[in-house]
Amino acid sequence: MSTVELWNGTDDRLSRWQDRASDLFNPILVKEVRQSLKSRQFIITFLLLLTSAWVVTVGGLAWAGPLVEYTPAGHRFFMGYYFVLCVAAHVLVPISAYRSLLAERDFNTYDLLSITLLRPRQIVWGKLFGALLQVLMFFSAVAPFIAFTSLMDGFDLPRALLLMSLTLCISLGTSMLGLMLATVSRQRHLQGVISMFFIGGLVSTFFSYQAAVVGENVVAQVEFNGDFWRVLGTLLLVGVSYVILFQEVAVSQLTFESDNRSTGIRVIAALQYLFWLIAIPIAARHFSRSMHLTGEVLTIYCVAAALHWTALGMFFCVEPDELSRRLKRRLPRNSLLRLCLVPWLPGGSRGLLLLVFQLALLPVAIVVLGYGLHMIEPGDVRRTLLLAAGCAGYVIFYLGLGAAIGQLFRPLLQPAHVRVITLLIFAAGVIGPYFPQLLQDSLPGGYEVLFVSNPLETLSEIDRGGVSGDVMMSMFILLIAAGLVLAWLLPRMVAGILEIWSPTITPPVTGGAS
C-alpha cells in the first residue's frame, strides 16, 4: 500500500469519526456557534476586548516605566485585565444569552424548533453551552495578556485562578437566569420591563462585584484554610441548585401546556428549602463558635424562608387546577401513592397546599432548634416562633388572597394578571397604614395595630423584641385572616386532592363507525 493510499484511508476514517462525533453535539449549540461567530455583536465585543487589554498593557507600562521590573506591578496589571474580562463575561454574555432565546420566540422560530425531535431541555442547555463557549473565547483572548502579567512581581497564581473560576461561574449563572427570564412572558410590554430590570441588575451587580474585588481587595485577604473551602463549597452547591431551578423553570415555560410543567420546579424548590433549614443553623454555629444562634441569624432564617416561598408561590398558587388527560393517564395506580403526590402535581390548589406544608416546617424547625437541640436561647425562642408564625401568616394571606381572587374571576383573569393583582394588594397593605398618619401631619411614633397589613413594620417590631399588646393583637388578626383565606379556598383544595385521589380519565377519541 502506497503512502498516498494510506493517507487517504486514514483521512476517510478520520472524516467518518468526525461525522459521528459531531452528531453527539447539541444541535442548538452548533447553531449558536455558527451564528455567534458570524454576528456583528460578537465580533465587535471580541475586538473591543482585545483593544481594551492592549490599552491596559500600553498604559500600564507607560505609567510604571522602568520601575516595572522592581515593583509588584503584576497585581495591578492583572486586575486591569480582569476588569475588562468581567465586562464581557458578567454583562455582555448574559445579555446575549437572554436575547438569543427571546429572539427565538419573537421571530416565531421556536415554533419550528418545537416540531423537531429537540426537547425543550436540549434547547435550553444548547443556549447555555453557547454562552459558555463565548465566555471561553473571551478567556482565550485575555489569556496571553495574563500570561505576560505572570512574569511580573506581585502576580498571585492561586488567587488569579480563583477569580477566573468565579467569573466563569457567575457568567453561567446569570446566563441561565437570562434564559429563564426570556421564557417568562410573551407579551411585549412585560418583556420590556423584564429586559430593563435584568440589564439594570447585571450592571449594578457588576459594579458591586468590582467594588468588592478591586476596591476592597477582598480576594487578597482570603486565607485558603478549611473554613474557606467549606464556605466556597456551600456557595457553589447553592449556586448550582439555583442554576438547576432556573433551567427547570425555563424548560417548563417552553413545554406544552398539556404536559407536566410544575413538578420538577416544586421538587427542586422543596429540596433547596430543606437544605437551608439544615445548613444555616449548622454553618452559623460552626463559624460563630457559640452554643446559641444569634438574633440576626434567626431573622435571616425566617425571612429567607418567607421570600423563597413567596417568589415560588406566585407561580404555584395561580396555576389552573384541571389536569390534562395526558397527566391523568400517567398517575400511578396505587391510590395511596397518588395521595402522596398531590402537593407535587400541577394545579393552584395543590400549589397552595404545598406552600402551607412547607411553611409549617419553619415553626417546627424553630421548636427543634430551641427545645430539642438547645441552639436558641430560651428567651429568644418565643420571639423567633412569633417571627416564624408572622412570616408564614403573611405569605399565606397575601398569596391565598390573590389565588382566591383568581378563582373568583377565573374566566376573566390569566395567571399573569393574578400575579400583578397580588403585588398590588401587597403594595396597598404596606403603604395603606401610613395614610391616616400622613393626613394628620404626623409621623409614626411607634407600632400600632393599624400596621397589621404591613409585614415590614410588624416583623421589624417582633425582631426588635417588642412583643407588646399591639403586636400580639396584630398577630392574632393576621393568623385569623390567613385562616379565613384558607377556609375560603378549602373547597378548592379538597377538589384538587379528589382529582388525584379518584381521577376521571376520558377515553381517547376513536375513529368513526366502519
Side-chain angles (χ1 to χ4, degrees):
M1 181 181 294
S2 63
T3 305
V4 175
E5 293 176 348
L6 181 61
W7 172 258
N8 289 335
T10 304
D11 187 57
D12 292 340
R13 288 193 296 270
L14 182 61
S15 299
R16 289 194 298 269
W17 179 84
Q18 289 176 344
D19 291 338
R20 289 195 298 269
S22 63
D23 292 337
L24 300 177
F25 286 103
N26 191 311
I28 301 298
L29 173 60
V30 177
K31 169 180 170 292
E32 288 295 315
V33 171
R34 295 181 63 183
Q35 286 184 347
S36 62
L37 292 179
K38 296 179 181 179
S39 66
R40 184 178 303 176
Q41 178 259 337
F42 176 78
I43 295 174
I44 293 175
T45 303
F46 194 82
L47 292 177
L48 285 176
L49 182 67
L50 290 175
T51 304
S52 302
W54 178 80
V55 169
V56 171
T57 304
V58 175
L61 291 176
W63 173 77
L67 297 178
V68 71
E69 299 182 6
Y70 310 104
T71 57
H75 174 72
R76 296 179 179 177
F77 272 87
F78 172 76
M79 296 312 296
Y81 299 137
Y82 184 67
F83 178 85
V84 172
L85 177 63
C86 286
V87 173
H90 290 179
V91 180
L92 300 180
V93 171
I95 293 176
S96 176
Y98 170 75
R99 289 297 309 168
S100 66
L101 189 52
L102 193 63
E104 299 281 2
R105 308 189 76 180
D106 286 344
F107 298 111
N108 295 323
T109 54
Y110 178 76
D111 295 337
L112 298 177
L113 294 176
S114 62
I115 62 176
T116 63
L117 295 178
L118 291 174
R119 296 185 298 273
R121 196 176 304 275
Q122 290 179 284
I123 296 174
V124 173
W125 280 111
K127 295 289 185 181
L128 182 65
F129 287 148
L132 173 61
L133 186 62
Q134 288 190 42
V135 176
L136 294 179
M137 294 187 71
F138 292 143
F139 272 45
S140 65
V142 180
F145 297 96
I146 296 179
F148 162 74
T149 306
S150 65
L151 302 176
M152 302 179 183
D153 291 335
F155 179 79
D156 193 340
L157 180 60
R159 300 183 191 279
L161 292 176
L162 174 63
L163 284 175
M164 301 290 280
S165 302
L166 189 61
T167 297
L168 180 63
C169 294
I170 293 175
S171 181
L172 291 179
T174 51
S175 296
M176 183 57 80
L177 174 62
L179 293 174
M180 181 198 71
L181 293 177
T183 64
V184 170
S185 175
R186 302 195 67 172
Q187 301 178 2
R188 294 280 184 175
H189 61 282
L190 287 180
Q191 288 177 359
V193 173
I194 292 173
S195 300
M196 180 181 64
F197 278 100
F198 180 58
I199 296 174
L202 288 177
V203 173
S204 61
T205 303
F206 166 76
F207 282 110
S208 301
Y209 177 80
Q210 292 298 320
V213 173
V214 180
E216 300 294 334
N217 206 7
V218 172
V219 177
Q221 304 170 10
V222 170
E223 297 181 4
F224 296 107
N225 52 22
D227 290 342
F228 167 77
W229 294 115
R230 279 189 287 269
V231 171
L232 183 62
T234 303
L235 292 178
L236 286 177
L237 182 60
V238 172
V240 169
S241 70
Y242 275 97
V243 167
I244 295 174
L245 178 62
F246 296 156
Q247 171 257 334
E248 194 66 31
V249 173
V251 170
S252 69
Q253 294 298 315
L254 296 176
T255 305
F256 294 109
E257 293 185 3
S258 61
D259 209 341
N260 192 341
R261 306 173 63 175
S262 185
T263 299
I265 303 175
R266 298 186 186 199
V267 171
I268 295 172
L271 290 176
Q272 286 179 319
Y273 179 62
L274 183 63
F275 171 78
W276 281 115
L277 288 181
I278 298 174
I280 289 180
I282 295 176
R285 188 168 182 174
H286 173 77
F287 289 108
S288 65
R289 304 294 194 274
S290 175
M291 293 297 296
H292 299 101
L293 302 178
T294 62
E296 292 80 4
V297 172
L298 294 173
T299 301
I300 294 173
Y301 193 66
C302 297
V303 174
L307 293 177
H308 179 81
W309 286 111
T310 299
L312 294 167
M314 292 286 288
F315 295 88
F316 292 161
C317 299
V318 298
E319 293 177 343
D321 280 333
E322 295 78 11
L323 287 181
S324 64
R325 290 184 297 174
R326 175 186 297 183
L327 291 183
K328 287 182 179 180
R329 292 193 184 96
R330 293 179 181 177
L331 293 176
R333 296 181 179 274
N334 191 313
S335 58
L336 182 60
L337 183 57
R338 287 201 304 270
L339 187 63
C340 295
L341 292 177
V342 165
W344 311 101
L345 293 174
S349 61
R350 290 177 286 273
L352 187 61
L353 197 63
L354 176 66
L355 186 74
V356 173
F357 285 161
Q358 296 296 324
L359 288 174
L361 291 177
L362 184 60
V364 173
I366 299 299
V367 171
V368 171
L369 292 175
Y371 298 109
L373 302 178
H374 304 288
M375 295 177 64
I376 304 176
E377 293 185 0
D380 289 338
V381 175
R382 181 187 176 190
R383 179 189 66 85
T384 308
L385 275 175
L386 200 62
L387 186 64
C391 291
Y394 278 114
V395 174
I396 293 173
F397 172 73
Y398 280 109
L399 292 182
L401 188 59
I405 293 175
Q407 179 190 12
L408 192 62
F409 301 97
R410 184 171 53 181
L412 302 176
L413 298 178
Q414 298 296 325
H417 301 150
V418 178
R419 296 185 193 109
V420 174
I421 291 174
T422 304
L423 291 176
L424 292 177
I425 293 174
F426 175 77
V430 172
I431 301 173
Y434 294 105
F435 279 101
Q437 295 183 346
L438 291 176
L439 293 176
Q440 298 174 2
D441 296 329
S442 62
L443 296 176
Y447 184 82
E448 300 177 3
V449 182
L450 184 66
F451 291 102
V452 62
S453 64
N454 189 331
L456 305 180
E457 289 285 348
T458 305
L459 297 179
S460 298
E461 184 68 19
I462 296 174
D463 184 53
R464 289 192 292 266
V467 188
S468 61
D470 289 338
V471 172
M472 297 303 296
M473 179 60 67
S474 296
M475 289 299 301
F476 177 76
I477 296 174
L478 173 64
L479 295 180
I480 291 295
L484 290 176
V485 170
L486 289 179
W488 186 3
L489 294 171
L490 184 60
R492 181 185 174 190
M493 290 189 286
V494 172
I497 296 174
L498 294 178
E499 186 179 12
I500 307 301
W501 176 264
S502 56
T504 302
I505 303 176
T506 305
V509 179
T510 58
S514 58

